[in-house]
Amino acid sequence: MMSIPFFAGAIAILATWTGIRGPLSAWLVFLTIVATLVLFAFHATDSLDIAL
Amino acid sequence: MSGRLAYPLNVLALYALSVVLGVAFYDQFVNGALPCPLCILQRAGFVAVGAGLVLNVMRGPAARHYGLMILGALAGGAVALRQVALHVVPGTGAYGPPFFGYHFYTWAFIVFVAVILGSAVMLAAFREGAEGARRTGFATLAVALFFVMALANGVSTLAECGTSLCPDDPSSYEGYEALMDFMGGQN
């Protein structure tokens, strides 16, 4: 599951490189970002130990 | 800024990101430091930024591509800032040894901020409709190198975490071991 952003990014690069027309590459980059944020939410559950 | 000047800057930035991911790989495989889940997600942020750069290099600079780079840098920067905050209080330890005085997550945060600033400058100086420069072999090599880096990070993460979430403090390549166990059980 943690590898999804990397493979989405790699496919986006490949789609751009091979000249696939349309917004597919941009949407795949966007998917990379969304997947990163979703996985971040799964891993940022503990409260920070900072007393101000 | 004309496309002719923006083009080499994007290519150089793509090489710089490959170096960043290369240093992380060096630490992982030569120093034997397994990346933590937040470290992996910072690498994912770099891949998102790099994919935006590839769009600029292959299709010419565009506001949409810079926007994607900024979003990727914001996502990666948020992850890096979280890790900095986890270890900023004295006595809370750190993850991994320092590198030129700072830990990797602090460097990652600095690089993500630099990406946001750089993209903002390029957008401000960017002339709509400016022609891009002719693609060079140097640029194609940058794209190929970054593609290999993104793919290698995917495979490495799959070997470390398998198909689920990574443990907070990884101690082995669990995905690879599970695969070996599965293949051993088949014989």
Side-chain angles (χ1 to χ4, degrees):
Chain A
M1 190 191 270
M2 295 286 287
S3 52
I4 289 172
F6 298 107
F7 290 130
I11 295 168
I13 294 166
L14 201 63
T16 311
W17 196 1
T18 52
I20 293 176
R21 292 279 149 200
L24 176 70
S25 304
W27 279 111
L28 282 168
V29 179
F30 190 67
L31 174 68
T32 304
I33 296 164
V34 171
T36 302
L37 288 172
V38 169
L39 290 167
F40 178 41
F42 280 125
H43 280 289
T45 49
D46 296 339
S47 59
L48 294 171
D49 184 24
I50 299 176
L52 297 174
Chain B
M1 181 180 294
S2 75
R4 281 182 201 282
L5 184 56
Y7 181 79
L9 289 176
N10 276 285
V11 173
L12 287 176
L14 198 53
Y15 274 112
L17 280 190
S18 288
V19 169
V20 167
L21 290 177
V23 169
F25 260 144
Y26 180 87
D27 188 56
Q28 179 178 346
F29 292 113
V30 177
N31 297 336
L34 277 172
C36 62
L38 293 180
C39 312
I40 290 171
L41 291 175
Q42 286 159 53
R43 293 185 189 188
F46 286 126
V47 167
V49 171
L53 284 168
V54 169
L55 280 165
N56 270 342
V57 169
M58 303 302 277
R59 295 189 180 172
R64 176 196 276 185
H65 306 158
Y66 286 118
L68 286 169
M69 284 170 58
I70 291 172
L71 286 176
L74 282 172
V79 178
L81 191 58
R82 159 95 187 167
Q83 200 168 9
V84 170
L86 280 172
H87 302 298
V88 74
V89 175
T92 50
Y95 196 89
F99 177 77
F100 287 108
Y102 294 115
H103 290 277
F104 276 139
Y105 38 87
T106 310
W107 278 119
F109 182 72
I110 292 168
V111 173
F112 283 125
V113 169
V115 167
I116 293 168
L117 285 174
S119 301
V121 168
M122 296 296 273
L123 277 171
F126 180 68
R127 203 168 31 149
E128 283 291 341
E131 259 183 56
R134 214 165 135 251
R135 201 181 307 155
T136 60
F138 189 63
T140 307
L141 183 65
V143 172
L145 184 63
F146 196 78
F147 171 71
V148 170
M149 282 294 180
L151 202 61
N153 267 287
V155 173
S156 152
T157 303
L158 204 56
E160 185 183 333
C161 311
T163 52
S164 58
L165 293 173
C166 278
D168 282 343
D169 200 1
S171 56
S172 66
Y173 288 94
E174 289 183 9
Y176 175 74
E177 288 168 1
L179 180 68
M180 287 298 112
D181 286 345
F182 176 76
M183 289 173 74
Q186 295 290 304
N187 295 329

